[in-house]
């Protein structure tokens, strides 16, 4: 029963994200699952929702995340002919550019956080 309650909390935040996505879809397109994860993160961070209420199911979901990508991969392979032609080099270019930008952005943010933490430790 505890697992069902934990799953309920995760699905509730996903549902809230979907509703918000539907409301704001006329001026910005953000997937509801992303909005739901951000709201869940904020609820956990500010202790609105204790981590114990989603810990077991959340851990199980992240441990089996690769399994959740199988339907998307199969769907991509069934539409392989649609992606033929000149689309592959464009997709590869986008993948490499966005991966490089993401690595640079995450590295910069982490480095700034480390520097900020070190400055706080020096002041103590």
């Amino acid at each position: 029963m505890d697992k069902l309650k934990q799953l309920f909390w995760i699905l509730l935040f996903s549902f809230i994200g979907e509703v918000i996505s539907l409301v704001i879809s006329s001026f910005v397109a953000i997937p509801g699952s992303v909005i739901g994860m951000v709201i869940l993160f904020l609820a956990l961070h500010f202790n609105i929702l204790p981590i114990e209420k989603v810990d077991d199911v959340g851990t199980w979901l992240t441990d089996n995340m690769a399994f959740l990508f199988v339907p998307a991969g199969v769907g991509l392979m069934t539409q392989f002919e649609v992606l033929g032609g000149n689309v592959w080099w464009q997709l590869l270019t986008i993948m490499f550019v966005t991966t490089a930008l993401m690595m640079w952005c995450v590295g910069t943010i982490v480095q700034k956080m480390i520097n900020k933490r070190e400055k706080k430790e020096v002041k103590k």
Side-chain angles (χ1 to χ4, degrees):
M1 191 65 175
D2 189 45
K3 306 283 190 246
L4 286 177
K5 287 180 183 176
Q6 291 185 15
L7 185 61
F8 166 77
W9 284 111
I10 292 174
L11 291 177
L12 177 68
F13 280 95
S14 180
F15 176 73
I16 292 170
E18 291 293 335
V19 169
I20 292 173
S21 175
L22 187 65
V23 170
I24 65 172
S25 66
S26 61
F27 55 91
V28 65
I30 301 174
S33 57
V34 172
I35 295 172
M37 283 193 296
V38 169
I39 294 171
L40 179 60
F41 169 76
L42 292 174
L44 291 170
H45 182 72
F46 293 111
N47 289 327
I48 297 169
L49 180 68
I51 188 73
E52 296 81 22
K53 292 198 174 203
V54 294
D55 191 26
D56 292 337
V57 173
T59 301
W60 183 84
L61 284 172
T62 54
D63 287 346
N64 297 296
M65 190 176 287
F67 178 72
L68 301 175
F69 285 104
V70 170
V74 170
L76 182 66
M77 295 309 292
T78 60
Q79 301 297 322
F80 194 73
E81 66 275 357
V82 175
L83 297 175
N86 290 333
V87 175
W88 282 108
W89 69 269
Q90 295 168 343
L91 289 174
L92 287 174
T93 302
I94 290 170
M95 286 173 37
F96 284 118
V97 169
T98 55
T99 301
L101 283 173
M102 181 60 71
M103 290 172 66
W104 174 80
C105 184
V106 170
T108 301
I109 290 171
V110 168
Q111 191 63 48
K112 286 185 179 185
M113 291 174 67
I114 289 172
N115 291 342
K116 188 175 179 179
R117 179 177 292 169
E118 287 176 353
K119 284 181 182 177
K120 282 185 179 179
E121 290 177 1
V122 169
K123 287 181 181 178
K124 288 182 180 179

